[in-house]
Amino acid sequence: MGVLTEVYEMLNTCNKCGGCHTACKTYKLTGQETMVARGRIQLIKAVADGKLEPNQEYEDAIMSCLLCGECAVACANGVRGNELVMAARRDLKLRKGIKPFAKSFALKTLASPKRLGMGFSLFGGMGKSVLNKIDGMDYFRGIDIRNFPTAKKPFLEQVPERITVQHPKHKVGFYVGCFLNYSLDQTAHSVVKVLTKNDCDVIIPKDQVCCGLPQYAYGDFETAKKNARKTIDTFLDKYKDAEVVLSACASCASMLKHDYLKLFADEPSYLPKVELFCEKVVEFSEYMAKIGVDQSQLYNSSPVRVTYHDPCHMIRGLKVTKQPRQLLQMIPRVEFKEMFEAGRCCGAAGLIQAFYHKVSTNITDQKVQNIKDTNADLVATSCPACMLRLQGGINKAGQKQKVMHVADLMANAYKD
């Protein structure tokens, strides 16, 4: 049975009302019917019925979707447009492979720690030196290339496998993820600091790999499964004493907790192990709010105004919204200011920012304006990809706000 056959019934539940138009960022920017869930669903159905061959226009419609999930929230019929797009991407992968080559290469690189580490190392060294000598290379497709941070050494090489405290109350397995390992290593240290300040032993497996989300999002289930199986077996077999598997990346956490169940739905013999793993997964803010934060140690020397951006995978994937705000407001002298459309996509959306950069940049520009309107000094969020995208957009706009992870703000508020 083909991929589109499996979702055919859901394709037919779209009553073409257009309710998704109010939620879809790509439609609001372009005004094109092919750039909204209703239009995309009709195209997918035409391909499923054999009335349309997957041409370039079709591929652009499917590949330009942000997968933000807002259409699913807005749909009165409960049609999950983002999941139908995922099915269409899987179908395209099986028909044609992943194209263009640059996208295929990027996904293979992300899946391999060796390739990814080498890529970040080259970019952080020779790559930036070359770019600094080229006029007009400040921003590549809206991405702030010059200021893109790279760790001098991957976080996993900076820390021991186990970090213990004197009187542990909890034992946490830390799934680090690619960006915290190779780019935002200071944020990874912040996560460990907050955990240890709150009586947690931290287990950090050295042989971690990408969670598989980039590959899964573009239909390469085989590679995604390989990395997912490695992650599950690592945490459940080698580090079974970890009470939870914590991620400080909303995208990784959503993949680990929810999408692994979908990914292995066709493997009933392995599924019980997947379910056990998924039950252990928890996002950083969610976990800290659950175990309770020792606020007596928190300190802040000067007042600061902070706003918060809800990553798509956080608000619609994990449905975690209150906890990061609660943590931020625990910090002394923080004035919290809610921004307009805090839960709307920032424009990162995985590889969308590289391959559909005009759409991505417009979305980022809108978010940056919303940030400016708050008069905030700092922007907090819970996703490394959002952090990088937002900071780049702010820099490009000539604004001064600094983007930080919730864990960074909390760690900075603890006296060493």
Side-chain angles (χ1 to χ4, degrees), residues 108-367:
K108 288 178 181 177
T109 299
L110 287 167
S112 167
K114 185 175 181 180
R115 285 188 184 184
L116 190 58
M118 187 179 299
F120 269 98
S121 179
L122 287 172
F123 175 72
M126 181 180 65
K128 280 199 173 183
S129 296
V130 172
L131 285 173
N132 286 336
K133 297 176 182 178
I134 303 174
D135 291 336
M137 281 302 291
D138 292 32
Y139 297 92
F140 175 73
R141 300 197 164 203
I143 301 170
D144 188 357
I145 295 293
R146 290 192 195 273
N147 296 307
F148 195 95
T150 53
K152 291 182 179 179
K153 186 165 67 171
F155 171 76
L156 290 173
E157 295 179 15
Q158 299 177 33
V159 292
E161 197 167 66
R162 290 177 182 265
I163 299 173
T164 59
V165 297
Q166 192 168 3
H167 301 292
K169 295 180 182 177
H170 313 280
K171 191 168 288 188
V172 176
F174 182 17
Y175 176 80
V176 178
C178 301
F179 276 130
L180 294 192
N181 189 33
Y182 296 107
S183 178
L184 300 166
D185 55 319
Q186 184 53 54
T187 296
H189 283 292
S190 293
V191 171
V192 172
K193 182 177 180 179
V194 174
L195 288 171
T196 54
K197 286 288 186 181
N198 288 278
D199 304 316
C200 296
D201 280 350
V202 185
I203 302 168
I204 311 171
K206 295 290 187 173
D207 55 349
Q208 298 188 37
V209 295
C210 173
C211 66
L213 176 58
Q215 298 76 28
Y216 177 65
Y218 285 95
D220 184 2
F221 285 15
E222 295 75 22
T223 303
K225 273 190 173 184
K226 181 180 177 181
N227 278 26
R229 198 182 301 272
K230 167 72 172 173
T231 301
I232 292 166
D233 292 346
T234 293
F235 279 95
L236 288 192
D237 296 342
K238 295 176 67 176
Y239 303 93
K240 60 179 68 177
D241 55 326
E243 298 163 9
V244 298
V245 177
L246 180 143
S247 172
C249 170
S251 299
C252 291
S254 183
M255 179 70 179
L256 299 173
K257 191 168 187 68
H258 297 304
D259 293 325
Y260 277 12
L261 294 170
K262 302 171 189 174
L263 192 59
F264 289 101
D266 60 346
E267 294 191 31
S269 61
Y270 191 63
L271 196 55
K273 190 172 186 178
V274 179
E275 291 172 342
L276 180 61
F277 173 82
C278 293
E279 287 173 3
K280 281 192 164 190
V281 174
V282 64
E283 187 275 331
F284 169 80
S285 294
E286 184 181 25
Y287 185 68
M288 296 312 304
K290 180 180 178 181
I291 66 171
V293 173
D294 180 2
Q295 298 182 53
S296 65
Q297 300 183 65
L298 294 173
Y299 170 79
N300 187 16
S301 60
S302 58
V304 61
R305 177 176 285 193
V306 180
T307 191
Y308 181 76
H309 160 70
D310 293 280
C312 296
H313 283 104
M314 193 81 159
I315 189 171
R316 286 174 289 279
L318 298 169
K319 295 179 172 55
V320 174
T321 57
K322 294 180 181 178
Q323 295 91 324
R325 290 168 169 82
Q326 290 170 349
L327 295 181
L328 292 171
Q329 292 177 81
M330 286 180 186
I331 302 171
R333 308 188 76 180
V334 162
E335 178 191 350
F336 183 77
K337 180 72 174 179
E338 195 72 46
M339 83 165 80
F340 177 63
E341 294 188 335
R344 288 295 178 97
C345 182
C346 69
L351 295 180
I352 295 292
Q353 59 189 314
F355 293 95
Y356 294 93
H357 61 281
K358 291 182 180 178
V359 169
S360 178
T361 299
N362 283 332
I363 292 171
T364 303
D365 289 346
Q366 290 179 3
K367 177 66 74 167

